[in-house]
Amino acid sequence: MKKVFFIFFLCTFHNISFSLEIGFAGDVIIHKFQKRIAKKFRIFKKKKNINNHGYDEFFKYIKPIVSKTDFAFANLETPVASGSLRGSSYMKRYAPLFNAPYSLLKALKKVGFNLLNFSNNHCFDRGLRGIVQTYKNIKREGMYPIGFRKNKRLFSYKRIYFRGKKIIFTGFAKAINCAEYVLPKSFYAKKQKILINYLTTRKQGKINQFFYYKRIAKKISEIRKNEKPDIFIISIHWGKEYQKSILKIDGKIAKTFLNSGADLIIGHHPHVLGQIKFYKTKDNRLGFMIYSLGNFISSMGLKYRYKTDSAKKGDVRDSIFLKIKFGNQFNRKLKHYLNKIKIRNVKTVINNIQIIPLWVAFHKKKKKLFISSIKDQMRRFPKKTKLLKKRRRRIRRLYPKIFLSN
């Protein structure tokens, strides 16, 4: 009887405890080279394609990691719109214009991603119509579109209910290609129903960067007060490309948003991995910020050669999958680390943090490109062990050992 009672007690306690895990990945960029690779690896069965036109090949080794989380986030740094939509010839002078097929969304969904941010510097690559089409395609695939807003609103956000808890998720773009050209057009597009959340605005005929965030911070405070979310997450496309250290203005924005009511700030855009920081907010909550998640998949840095080139050239292929566990029980490791950095007596929904080092692998002879954990690649490709160990050491220098996974 004692054994039966003990098992029943444990099960009851487990049901009432709050547990949720969200995974975060970096930039999903599809260059022309990747499109050629995907086309080469298409598999057909009875004249029907069974691997999302080859896009499954990029993510098949990462599935065991991503699929274990309750929610998985990535920054979709490409429109997924009609091929007939062309980007502006003016914008083409300054930056590449991206577009990806619908198969990419299917491949991401298959792996386990269900939160896609589109507020980034490539959101206008297929014009205003491309924004609407991308929004509709993400929804059509059953995923949550992050970073979009309804016209005439300061910004929009998503409410997600899970296990009786309310999660609020929103995203902003501070870095926008050709802002002086595209933003005035978007502000006068009265018939446009869907736009992007910006951290940049048009004021007195000029582009006023960086100071728009104060208005947004007030709105975040209102949402925190009225909605009373259990978890409040903000994604921001910011920073300077290929720079690992946070800009002063970005640090100020992060601190302001966390003090206003956000719990997490998830950064992307620099294409290299960035620092993490913890903050104690004015109302004694624990705030967390990661400056950059790096590239999740892209064809950047494929010419990098181990021993021949400097390690810095391979930074664009370094990546991580950030797993954050939320719950009503404080993890001992996290508590110990916070005490070490003198953050004490804080309220937090963050239970645990795990950082899994990843690497964008490219095999020239087989013409294969994919993302997976460094540990997995060392097992699959023992000949590349020295290279992979070097990349892992480089990633580990950025983050506290206590959060790193092998």
Side-chain angles (χ1 to χ4, degrees):
M1 286 296 289
K2 285 182 179 179
K3 285 183 181 178
V4 175
F5 175 77
F6 183 61
I7 292 166
F8 175 75
F9 176 77
L10 280 179
C11 292
T12 308
F13 180 79
H14 179 73
N15 286 337
I16 61 168
S17 66
F18 164 48
S19 180
L20 163 70
E21 192 169 55
I22 303 179
F24 299 91
D27 303 334
V28 176
I29 305 171
I30 303 298
H31 295 97
K32 286 180 181 179
F33 181 71
Q34 288 156 275
K35 289 179 181 180
R36 290 198 297 269
I37 290 174
K39 193 175 180 179
K40 185 185 174 183
F41 285 96
R42 289 182 299 175
I43 300 170
F44 290 89
K45 194 174 183 179
K46 293 181 181 179
K47 295 183 179 180
K48 285 187 178 180
N49 183 263
I50 59 168
N51 69 338
N52 289 316
H53 294 277
Y55 283 87
D56 285 356
E57 299 300 308
F58 298 144
F59 311 111
K60 66 180 181 181
Y61 298 123
I62 199 74
K63 189 177 180 178
I65 295 171
V66 179
S67 60
K68 286 178 183 176
T69 57
D70 297 306
F71 293 94
F73 165 93
N75 174 48
L76 183 67
E77 200 155 345
T78 172
V80 179
S82 168
S84 61
L85 290 180
R86 292 186 178 183
S88 159
S89 56
Y90 175 85
M91 289 178 70
K92 204 171 183 178
R93 293 182 222 165
Y94 301 97
L97 302 180
F98 297 141
N99 195 19
Y102 189 78
S103 303
L104 173 66
L105 295 182
K106 284 191 168 187
L108 289 168
K109 177 73 184 292
K110 190 176 177 180
V111 170
F113 287 99
N114 43 23
L115 297 159
L116 292 183
N117 173 72
F118 189 58
S119 53
N120 54 58
N121 62 313
H122 286 281
C123 59
F124 283 98
D125 281 11
R126 287 298 177 265
L128 292 167
R129 284 174 65 194
I131 292 171
V132 177
Q133 284 188 19
T134 304
Y135 173 81
K136 287 180 177 177
N137 285 334
I138 294 170
K139 284 198 81 175
R140 181 182 156 199
E141 199 48 40
M143 295 187 276
Y144 294 98
I146 306 298
F148 295 87
R149 70 178 170 91
K150 291 183 179 179
N151 206 342
K152 296 180 182 178
R153 288 190 183 181
L154 182 63
F155 69 91
S156 295
Y157 54 90
K158 282 285 171 191
R159 291 184 200 90
I160 301 168
Y161 295 92
F162 185 77
R163 293 176 186 163
K165 300 295 176 182
K166 186 196 281 188
I167 307 158
I168 283 182
F169 214 128
T170 188
F172 297 95
K174 187 186 137 202
I176 295 175
N177 290 349
C178 303
E180 74 289 344
Y181 173 77
V182 296
L183 289 187
K185 284 193 171 189
S186 70
F187 284 114
Y188 290 115
K190 292 179 181 178
K191 291 181 181 179
Q192 182 86 358
K193 290 182 180 179
I194 301 294
L195 285 167
I196 296 296
N197 292 337
Y198 314 124
L199 277 180
T200 303
T201 186
R202 183 178 184 275
K203 187 178 180 183
Q204 297 173 352
K206 294 180 181 180
I207 296 301
N208 177 27
Q209 298 235 18
F210 314 138
F211 301 103
Y212 196 39
Y213 74 90
K214 290 177 183 177
R215 282 181 63 197
I216 289 167
K218 285 181 183 178
K219 185 69 178 173
I220 290 167
S221 296
E222 287 174 26
I223 294 166
R224 185 91 209 183
K225 188 180 178 181
N226 300 330
E227 296 268 4
K228 295 177 181 176
D230 296 287
I231 304 165
F232 198 146
I233 304 170
I234 298 176
S235 155
I236 308 179
H237 203 70
W238 60 4
K240 192 175 180 181
E241 288 186 334
Y242 316 114
Q243 184 173 308
K244 292 185 177 185
S245 55
I246 190 165
L247 299 176
K248 280 186 181 179
I249 184 66
D250 293 342
K252 196 174 180 181
I253 290 169
K255 207 168 183 179
T256 304
F257 284 2
L258 290 167
N259 278 322
S260 298
D263 294 305
L264 266 74
I265 304 289
I266 305 297
H268 33 82
H269 175 59
H271 301 303
V272 292
L273 294 171
Q275 306 160 317
I276 64 168
K277 280 192 176 182
F278 290 91
Y279 295 93
K280 185 176 181 178
T281 64
K282 289 177 182 177
D283 56 349
N284 292 325
R285 288 179 301 103
L286 178 66
F288 172 82
M289 182 274 294
I290 181 161
Y291 174 57
S292 174
L293 289 161
N295 289 329
F296 183 64
I297 192 74
S298 81
S299 58
M300 296 170 73
L302 296 188
K303 291 181 180 179
Y304 165 70
R305 294 289 173 267
Y306 174 57
K307 290 184 178 178
T308 309
D309 296 329
S310 69
K312 199 174 181 180
K313 282 191 176 181
D315 287 352
V316 289
R317 286 168 66 183
D318 289 338
S319 188
I320 59 167
F321 189 69
L322 173 69
K323 289 168 77 173
I324 299 182
K325 194 172 183 179
F326 301 90
N328 53 12
Q329 296 174 5
F330 217 119
N331 181 274
R332 286 182 184 179
K333 285 183 180 179
L334 180 59
K335 194 173 183 179
H336 174 75
Y337 179 76
L338 293 174
N339 281 328
K340 195 177 176 182
I341 58 171
K342 297 180 181 178
I343 294 179
R344 300 181 184 96
N345 303 318
V346 287
K347 295 173 282 183
T348 179
V349 289
I350 300 170
N351 175 272
N352 194 23
I353 293 168
Q354 187 183 8
I355 297 169
I356 302 170
L358 311 176
W359 172 251
V360 179
F362 175 58
H363 293 272
K364 198 174 180 181
K365 288 180 181 178
K366 295 179 181 179
K367 291 284 181 184
K368 283 188 83 172
L369 186 144
F370 59 89
I371 179 80
S372 74
S373 71
I374 288 178
K375 187 179 179 180
D376 176 67
Q377 288 191 43
M378 284 168 71
R379 182 175 58 83
R380 291 178 189 276
F381 312 106
K383 288 182 180 179
K384 292 187 177 285
T385 301
K386 286 184 179 180
L387 159 69
L388 294 166
K389 279 185 176 179
K390 186 176 182 178
R391 298 319 309 180
R392 188 169 64 178
R393 281 197 302 271
R394 200 162 171 82
I395 293 170
R396 282 179 170 176
R397 285 178 201 150
L398 277 171
Y399 306 110
K401 287 180 182 179
I402 201 166
F403 303 129
L404 283 160
S405 169
N406 293 328

